[in-house]
Coordinates of all heavy atoms in Angstrom, one line a residue:
M1 N -25.3 0.7 -16.4 CA -24.2 0.1 -17.3 C -23.0 1.1 -17.2 O -23.1 2.2 -17.5 CB -24.8 0.0 -18.7 CG -23.9 -0.8 -19.6 SD -24.7 -1.0 -21.2 CE -23.3 -0.6 -22.3
S2 N -21.9 0.5 -16.8 CA -20.7 1.3 -16.7 C -20.0 1.4 -18.0 O -20.0 0.5 -18.8 CB -19.8 0.7 -15.7 OG -19.3 -0.5 -16.1
E3 N -19.3 2.6 -18.2 CA -18.6 2.8 -19.5 C -17.1 2.4 -19.3 O -16.5 2.6 -18.3 CB -18.6 4.3 -19.9 CG -19.9 4.6 -20.7 CD -19.8 6.0 -21.2 OE1 -18.7 6.5 -21.5 OE2 -20.9 6.6 -21.3
N4 N -16.6 1.7 -20.4 CA -15.2 1.4 -20.3 C -14.3 2.5 -20.6 O -14.7 3.5 -21.4 CB -15.0 0.3 -21.4 CG -15.5 -1.1 -20.9 OD1 -15.9 -1.2 -19.7 ND2 -15.4 -2.1 -21.8
T5 N -13.2 2.5 -20.0 CA -12.1 3.5 -20.3 C -11.0 2.9 -21.0 O -10.5 1.8 -20.6 CB -11.6 4.1 -18.9 OG1 -12.7 4.6 -18.2 CG2 -10.5 5.1 -19.2
T6 N -10.6 3.5 -22.1 CA -9.4 3.0 -22.8 C -8.3 4.0 -22.8 O -8.6 5.2 -23.2 CB -9.8 2.6 -24.3 OG1 -10.8 1.6 -24.2 CG2 -8.5 2.0 -25.0
R7 N -7.1 3.6 -22.4 CA -6.0 4.6 -22.4 C -4.8 3.9 -23.0 O -4.6 2.7 -22.9 CB -5.7 5.0 -21.0 CG -6.5 6.1 -20.5 CD -5.9 6.8 -19.3 NE -4.6 7.4 -19.6 CZ -3.8 7.9 -18.7 NH1 -4.1 8.0 -17.4 NH2 -2.6 8.4 -19.0
S8 N -3.9 4.7 -23.6 CA -2.7 4.2 -24.2 C -1.5 4.8 -23.5 O -1.5 5.9 -23.0 CB -2.7 4.7 -25.7 OG -3.7 4.0 -26.4
Y9 N -0.5 3.9 -23.4 CA 0.8 4.2 -22.7 C 1.9 3.8 -23.7 O 1.7 3.1 -24.6 CB 0.9 3.5 -21.4 CG -0.3 3.7 -20.5 CD1 -1.4 2.9 -20.6 CD2 -0.3 4.7 -19.5 CE1 -2.5 3.0 -19.8 CE2 -1.4 4.9 -18.6 CZ -2.5 4.0 -18.8 OH -3.5 4.2 -18.0
R10 N 3.1 4.1 -23.3 CA 4.3 3.6 -24.0 C 5.2 2.9 -23.0 O 5.6 3.5 -22.1 CB 5.0 4.6 -24.9 CG 5.7 4.0 -26.0 CD 6.1 5.0 -27.1 NE 7.0 6.0 -26.6 CZ 8.3 5.8 -26.5 NH1 8.8 4.7 -26.8 NH2 9.1 6.8 -26.0
V11 N 5.6 1.7 -23.4 CA 6.5 0.9 -22.5 C 7.8 0.8 -23.2 O 7.9 0.5 -24.4 CB 5.9 -0.5 -22.3 CG1 6.9 -1.4 -21.5 CG2 4.5 -0.4 -21.6
T12 N 8.9 1.0 -22.4 CA 10.2 0.9 -23.0 C 10.9 -0.4 -22.5 O 10.6 -0.9 -21.4 CB 11.1 2.1 -22.5 OG1 11.2 2.1 -21.1 CG2 10.6 3.4 -23.0
G13 N 11.7 -0.9 -23.4 CA 12.6 -2.1 -23.0 C 12.1 -3.4 -23.5 O 12.7 -4.4 -23.3
M14 N 10.9 -3.5 -24.1 CA 10.4 -4.8 -24.6 C 11.1 -5.2 -25.9 O 11.2 -4.3 -26.8 CB 8.9 -4.7 -24.8 CG 8.0 -4.4 -23.6 SD 6.3 -4.6 -23.9 CE 6.0 -3.3 -25.1
T15 N 11.4 -6.4 -26.0 CA 12.1 -6.9 -27.2 C 11.5 -8.0 -27.9 O 11.9 -8.3 -29.0 CB 13.6 -7.3 -26.8 OG1 13.5 -8.3 -25.8 CG2 14.4 -6.1 -26.3
C16 N 10.6 -8.7 -27.3 CA 10.0 -9.9 -27.9 C 8.6 -10.2 -27.4 O 8.1 -9.6 -26.5 CB 11.0 -11.1 -27.7 SG 11.0 -11.7 -26.0
A17 N 8.1 -11.3 -27.9 CA 6.7 -11.7 -27.5 C 6.6 -12.0 -26.0 O 5.6 -11.8 -25.4 CB 6.2 -12.9 -28.3
H18 N 7.7 -12.6 -25.5 CA 7.8 -12.9 -24.1 C 7.6 -11.6 -23.2 O 6.9 -11.6 -22.2 CB 9.1 -13.6 -23.7 CG 9.2 -13.8 -22.2 ND1 9.9 -13.0 -21.4 CD2 8.7 -14.8 -21.4 CE1 9.8 -13.4 -20.2 NE2 9.1 -14.6 -20.1
C19 N 8.2 -10.6 -23.6 CA 8.1 -9.3 -22.9 C 6.7 -8.8 -23.0 O 6.1 -8.4 -22.0 CB 9.0 -8.2 -23.6 SG 10.7 -8.6 -23.7
A20 N 6.1 -8.9 -24.1 CA 4.7 -8.5 -24.3 C 3.7 -9.3 -23.4 O 2.8 -8.8 -22.8 CB 4.2 -8.6 -25.8
N21 N 4.0 -10.6 -23.3 CA 3.2 -11.5 -22.5 C 3.3 -11.1 -21.0 O 2.3 -11.1 -20.3 CB 3.6 -12.9 -22.7 CG 3.0 -13.5 -23.9 OD1 2.0 -13.0 -24.4 ND2 3.6 -14.7 -24.3
A22 N 4.5 -10.8 -20.6 CA 4.8 -10.4 -19.2 C 4.0 -9.1 -18.9 O 3.3 -9.1 -17.8 CB 6.2 -10.2 -18.9
V23 N 4.0 -8.1 -19.7 CA 3.3 -6.9 -19.5 C 1.8 -7.2 -19.5 O 1.0 -6.7 -18.7 CB 3.7 -5.8 -20.5 CG1 2.8 -4.6 -20.4 CG2 5.1 -5.4 -20.4
T24 N 1.3 -7.9 -20.5 CA -0.1 -8.3 -20.7 C -0.6 -8.9 -19.4 O -1.7 -8.6 -18.9 CB -0.3 -9.2 -21.9 OG1 0.1 -8.5 -23.0 CG2 -1.8 -9.5 -22.0
Q25 N 0.2 -9.9 -18.8 CA -0.3 -10.6 -17.6 C -0.4 -9.7 -16.4 O -1.3 -9.7 -15.7 CB 0.7 -11.7 -17.3 CG 0.5 -12.9 -18.3 CD 0.9 -14.2 -17.7 OE1 1.6 -14.2 -16.7 NE2 0.5 -15.3 -18.3
E26 N 0.7 -8.8 -16.2 CA 0.7 -7.9 -15.1 C -0.4 -6.9 -15.1 O -1.1 -6.6 -14.2 CB 2.0 -7.2 -14.9 CG 3.2 -8.1 -14.4 CD 3.0 -8.6 -13.0 OE1 2.2 -8.0 -12.2 OE2 3.6 -9.6 -12.7
I27 N -0.6 -6.3 -16.3 CA -1.7 -5.3 -16.5 C -3.0 -6.0 -16.4 O -4.0 -5.5 -15.8 CB -1.5 -4.5 -17.8 CG1 -0.2 -3.7 -17.8 CG2 -2.7 -3.6 -18.0 CD1 -0.2 -2.6 -16.9
G28 N -3.1 -7.1 -17.0 CA -4.4 -7.9 -17.0 C -4.8 -8.3 -15.6 O -6.0 -8.6 -15.3
A29 N -3.9 -8.4 -14.7 CA -4.2 -8.8 -13.3 C -4.7 -7.6 -12.4 O -5.2 -7.8 -11.3 CB -2.9 -9.4 -12.6
L30 N -4.6 -6.4 -13.0 CA -5.1 -5.2 -12.2 C -6.7 -5.3 -12.1 O -7.3 -5.8 -13.1 CB -4.8 -3.9 -12.9 CG -3.3 -3.5 -12.9 CD1 -3.1 -2.3 -13.7 CD2 -2.8 -3.3 -11.5
P31 N -7.2 -5.0 -11.0 CA -8.7 -5.0 -10.8 C -9.4 -4.1 -11.9 O -8.9 -3.0 -12.2 CB -8.9 -4.4 -9.4 CG -7.6 -4.5 -8.7 CD -6.5 -4.5 -9.8
D32 N -10.4 -4.7 -12.5 CA -11.3 -4.0 -13.4 C -10.7 -3.7 -14.8 O -11.3 -3.0 -15.6 CB -11.7 -2.6 -12.8 CG -12.4 -2.8 -11.4 OD1 -13.2 -3.7 -11.3 OD2 -12.0 -2.0 -10.5
V33 N -9.6 -4.4 -15.1 CA -9.1 -4.3 -16.5 C -9.8 -5.4 -17.3 O -9.9 -6.6 -16.9 CB -7.5 -4.6 -16.5 CG1 -7.0 -4.8 -17.9 CG2 -6.8 -3.4 -15.9
T34 N -10.3 -5.0 -18.4 CA -11.0 -6.0 -19.3 C -10.3 -6.4 -20.6 O -10.6 -7.4 -21.2 CB -12.4 -5.4 -19.6 OG1 -12.2 -4.1 -20.3 CG2 -13.3 -5.2 -18.4
D35 N -9.3 -5.5 -21.0 CA -8.6 -5.8 -22.2 C -7.2 -5.1 -22.2 O -7.1 -4.0 -21.7 CB -9.4 -5.4 -23.4 CG -8.8 -5.9 -24.7 OD1 -8.6 -7.1 -24.8 OD2 -8.6 -5.1 -25.6
V36 N -6.2 -5.9 -22.7 CA -4.9 -5.3 -22.8 C -4.3 -5.6 -24.1 O -4.5 -6.8 -24.6 CB -3.9 -6.0 -21.7 CG1 -2.6 -5.3 -21.7 CG2 -4.5 -5.9 -20.3
H37 N -3.7 -4.6 -24.8 CA -3.1 -4.9 -26.1 C -1.7 -4.3 -26.0 O -1.5 -3.1 -25.6 CB -3.9 -4.3 -27.2 CG -3.3 -4.6 -28.5 ND1 -3.4 -5.9 -29.1 CD2 -2.6 -3.9 -29.4 CE1 -2.7 -5.9 -30.3 NE2 -2.2 -4.7 -30.5
V38 N -0.7 -5.1 -26.4 CA 0.7 -4.7 -26.3 C 1.4 -4.9 -27.7 O 1.2 -5.9 -28.3 CB 1.5 -5.4 -25.3 CG1 3.0 -5.0 -25.3 CG2 0.9 -5.2 -23.9
E39 N 2.1 -3.8 -28.2 CA 2.9 -4.0 -29.4 C 4.3 -3.8 -29.0 O 4.8 -2.8 -28.6 CB 2.5 -2.9 -30.4 CG 1.2 -3.2 -31.2 CD 0.8 -2.1 -32.1 OE1 1.7 -1.3 -32.5 OE2 -0.4 -2.0 -32.3
V40 N 5.1 -4.9 -29.3 CA 6.5 -4.9 -28.9 C 7.3 -3.8 -29.6 O 8.0 -3.1 -29.0 CB 7.1 -6.3 -29.2 CG1 8.6 -6.2 -28.9 CG2 6.5 -7.3 -28.3
V41 N 7.1 -3.7 -30.9 CA 8.0 -2.8 -31.7 C 7.8 -1.4 -31.3 O 8.8 -0.6 -31.1 CB 7.7 -3.0 -33.2 CG1 8.5 -2.0 -34.0 CG2 8.1 -4.4 -33.6
S42 N 6.6 -0.9 -31.2 CA 6.3 0.5 -30.9 C 6.3 0.7 -29.4 O 6.4 1.9 -28.9 CB 5.0 0.9 -31.4 OG 3.9 0.2 -30.8
G43 N 6.1 -0.3 -28.6 CA 6.0 -0.2 -27.1 C 4.6 0.3 -26.7 O 4.4 0.6 -25.6
A44 N 3.7 0.3 -27.7 CA 2.3 0.7 -27.3 C 1.6 -0.2 -26.4 O 1.6 -1.4 -26.7 CB 1.5 0.9 -28.6
L45 N 1.1 0.3 -25.4 CA 0.3 -0.5 -24.4 C -1.1 0.2 -24.4 O -1.2 1.4 -24.1 CB 0.9 -0.4 -23.0 CG 0.1 -0.8 -21.8 CD1 -0.3 -2.3 -21.9 CD2 0.8 -0.5 -20.5
T46 N -2.1 -0.6 -24.7 CA -3.5 -0.1 -24.7 C -4.3 -0.9 -23.7 O -4.3 -2.1 -23.7 CB -4.1 -0.2 -26.1 OG1 -3.3 0.5 -27.0 CG2 -5.5 0.5 -26.1
V47 N -4.9 -0.2 -22.7 CA -5.6 -0.8 -21.6 C -7.0 -0.4 -21.6 O -7.3 0.8 -21.6 CB -4.9 -0.5 -20.3 CG1 -5.6 -1.3 -19.1 CG2 -3.4 -0.8 -20.3
T48 N -7.9 -1.3 -21.5 CA -9.4 -1.0 -21.4 C -9.8 -1.5 -20.0 O -9.4 -2.6 -19.6 CB -10.2 -1.7 -22.4 OG1 -9.7 -1.3 -23.7 CG2 -11.7 -1.3 -22.3
S49 N -10.5 -0.7 -19.3 CA -10.9 -1.0 -17.9 C -12.3 -0.4 -17.6 O -12.8 0.5 -18.3 CB -9.9 -0.5 -16.9 OG -9.7 0.9 -17.1
T50 N -13.0 -0.9 -16.6 CA -14.3 -0.5 -16.3 C -14.3 0.7 -15.4 O -15.4 1.2 -15.0 CB -15.2 -1.6 -15.7 OG1 -14.5 -2.1 -14.5 CG2 -15.4 -2.8 -16.7
R51 N -13.1 1.2 -15.0 CA -13.0 2.4 -14.3 C -11.6 3.0 -14.7 O -10.8 2.3 -15.2 CB -13.0 2.2 -12.8 CG -11.8 1.3 -12.3 CD -11.6 1.2 -10.8 NE -10.6 0.2 -10.5 CZ -9.3 0.4 -10.5 NH1 -8.8 1.6 -10.6 NH2 -8.5 -0.6 -10.2
P52 N -11.4 4.3 -14.5 CA -10.1 4.9 -14.8 C -9.0 4.3 -13.9 O -9.2 4.3 -12.7 CB -10.3 6.4 -14.6 CG -11.8 6.6 -14.6 CD -12.4 5.3 -14.1
L53 N -7.9 3.8 -14.5 CA -6.8 3.3 -13.7 C -6.0 4.5 -13.2 O -5.9 5.5 -14.0 CB -6.0 2.4 -14.5 CG -6.7 1.1 -15.0 CD1 -5.8 0.3 -15.9 CD2 -7.2 0.3 -13.9
T54 N -5.3 4.4 -12.1 CA -4.3 5.5 -11.8 C -3.0 5.2 -12.5 O -2.7 4.1 -12.8 CB -4.1 5.5 -10.2 OG1 -3.4 4.3 -9.9 CG2 -5.4 5.6 -9.5
D55 N -2.3 6.3 -12.7 CA -0.9 6.1 -13.3 C -0.1 5.2 -12.5 O 0.8 4.5 -13.0 CB -0.3 7.5 -13.5 CG -1.0 8.3 -14.6 OD1 -1.7 7.7 -15.4 OD2 -0.7 9.5 -14.6
D56 N -0.2 5.3 -11.2 CA 0.6 4.5 -10.2 C 0.3 3.1 -10.4 O 1.3 2.2 -10.4 CB 0.3 5.0 -8.8 CG 1.3 4.5 -7.8 OD1 2.5 4.7 -8.1 OD2 1.0 3.9 -6.8
E57 N -0.9 2.7 -10.6 CA -1.3 1.3 -10.8 C -0.6 0.7 -12.0 O 0.0 -0.4 -12.0 CB -2.8 1.1 -11.0 CG -3.6 1.1 -9.7 CD -5.1 1.0 -10.1 OE1 -5.6 1.9 -10.8 OE2 -5.7 -0.1 -9.8
V58 N -0.7 1.5 -13.1 CA -0.2 1.1 -14.4 C 1.3 1.0 -14.3 O 1.9 0.0 -14.7 CB -0.7 2.0 -15.5 CG1 0.0 1.6 -16.8 CG2 -2.2 2.0 -15.6
S59 N 2.0 2.0 -13.8 CA 3.4 2.0 -13.8 C 4.0 0.9 -12.9 O 5.0 0.3 -13.2 CB 4.0 3.4 -13.4 OG 3.7 3.7 -12.1
T60 N 3.3 0.7 -11.7 CA 3.7 -0.4 -10.8 C 3.6 -1.8 -11.5 O 4.5 -2.6 -11.4 CB 2.9 -0.4 -9.6 OG1 3.1 0.8 -8.9 CG2 3.3 -1.5 -8.6
A61 N 2.5 -2.0 -12.2 CA 2.4 -3.3 -12.9 C 3.4 -3.4 -14.0 O 4.0 -4.5 -14.2 CB 1.0 -3.4 -13.5
V62 N 3.7 -2.4 -14.7 CA 4.7 -2.4 -15.8 C 6.1 -2.7 -15.2 O 6.9 -3.5 -15.7 CB 4.8 -1.1 -16.6 CG1 6.0 -1.1 -17.5 CG2 3.5 -1.0 -17.5
H63 N 6.4 -2.1 -14.0 CA 7.6 -2.3 -13.3 C 7.7 -3.8 -12.9 O 8.8 -4.4 -13.0 CB 7.8 -1.4 -12.1 CG 8.2 0.0 -12.5 ND1 7.9 1.1 -11.7 CD2 8.9 0.5 -13.5 CE1 8.4 2.1 -12.2 NE2 9.0 1.8 -13.3
E64 N 6.6 -4.3 -12.4 CA 6.6 -5.7 -11.9 C 6.9 -6.7 -13.1 O 7.5 -7.7 -12.9 CB 5.3 -6.0 -11.2 CG 5.4 -5.6 -9.7 CD 4.1 -5.7 -9.0 OE1 3.2 -6.4 -9.5 OE2 4.0 -5.2 -7.9
A65 N 6.5 -6.3 -14.3 CA 6.8 -7.1 -15.4 C 8.2 -7.0 -15.8 O 8.7 -7.8 -16.6 CB 5.8 -6.7 -16.6
G66 N 8.9 -6.0 -15.3 CA 10.3 -5.8 -15.6 C 10.6 -4.7 -16.6 O 11.8 -4.6 -17.1
Y67 N 9.7 -3.8 -16.9 CA 9.8 -2.7 -17.9 C 9.5 -1.4 -17.3 O 9.0 -1.3 -16.1 CB 9.0 -3.1 -19.1 CG 9.4 -4.4 -19.6 CD1 8.5 -5.5 -19.2 CD2 10.5 -4.7 -20.3 CE1 8.9 -6.8 -19.6 CE2 10.9 -6.0 -20.6 CZ 10.0 -7.0 -20.3 OH 10.4 -8.3 -20.6
D68 N 9.6 -0.3 -18.1 CA 9.3 1.0 -17.6 C 8.3 1.7 -18.6 O 8.3 1.4 -19.8 CB 10.5 1.9 -17.6 CG 11.5 1.5 -16.4 OD1 11.0 1.4 -15.3 OD2 12.6 1.2 -16.7
L69 N 7.5 2.6 -18.0 CA 6.6 3.4 -18.8 C 7.5 4.6 -19.3 O 8.2 5.2 -18.5 CB 5.5 4.0 -18.0 CG 4.2 3.2 -17.8 CD1 3.2 4.0 -17.1 CD2 3.7 2.6 -19.1
A70 N 7.3 4.9 -20.6 CA 8.0 6.1 -21.1 C 7.3 7.3 -20.5 O 6.1 7.3 -20.3 CB 7.9 6.1 -22.6
S71 N 8.1 8.3 -20.1 CA 7.4 9.5 -19.5 C 7.0 10.5 -20.5 O 7.3 10.4 -21.7 CB 8.4 10.1 -18.5 OG 9.6 10.3 -19.1
Ligands
CU1 CU1 11.3 -10.5 -24.4

C-alpha cells in the first residue's frame, strides 16, 4: 500500500473561481495526483499524490493554467 504525499504551495494571480478551476484542472491532470484543493483568496494550493511530485511538474502545470507559483 503506497502512502499519499500532501504538499502545499502558493499560487499568485488568481482572482475568482474560474482561476481556481483552471489550476485544479491542470494540477489534477498530473500523473498520480489524487486530490487538489485551491483557495482563491489566500492562493493556497494543496496537492495530494501517490508519489512526491517534482517542483517542476507543479510549476509547469500552474503556468499552463496561466498563473505563477510564489517563490
Ligand atoms: Cu478568475
Side-chain angles (χ1 to χ4, degrees):
M1 193 173 132
S2 62
E3 272 186 36
N4 283 353
T5 301
T6 300
R7 276 199 60 187
S8 293
Y9 308 85
R10 202 162 65 79
V11 177
T12 58
M14 296 189 296
T15 55
C16 70
H18 174 265
C19 302
N21 279 343
V23 171
T24 300
Q25 286 208 343
E26 287 292 340
I27 296 291
L30 290 174
D32 306 315
V33 169
T34 56
D35 191 52
V36 185
H37 185 72
V38 177
E39 281 176 26
V40 174
V41 175
S42 63
L45 164 65
T46 307
V47 185
T48 302
S49 53
T50 56
R51 62 173 169 88
L53 302 173
T54 67
D55 289 344
D56 196 50
E57 281 179 294
V58 175
S59 67
T60 297
V62 168
H63 282 151
E64 276 173 14
Y67 308 96
D68 287 308
L69 274 187
S71 49

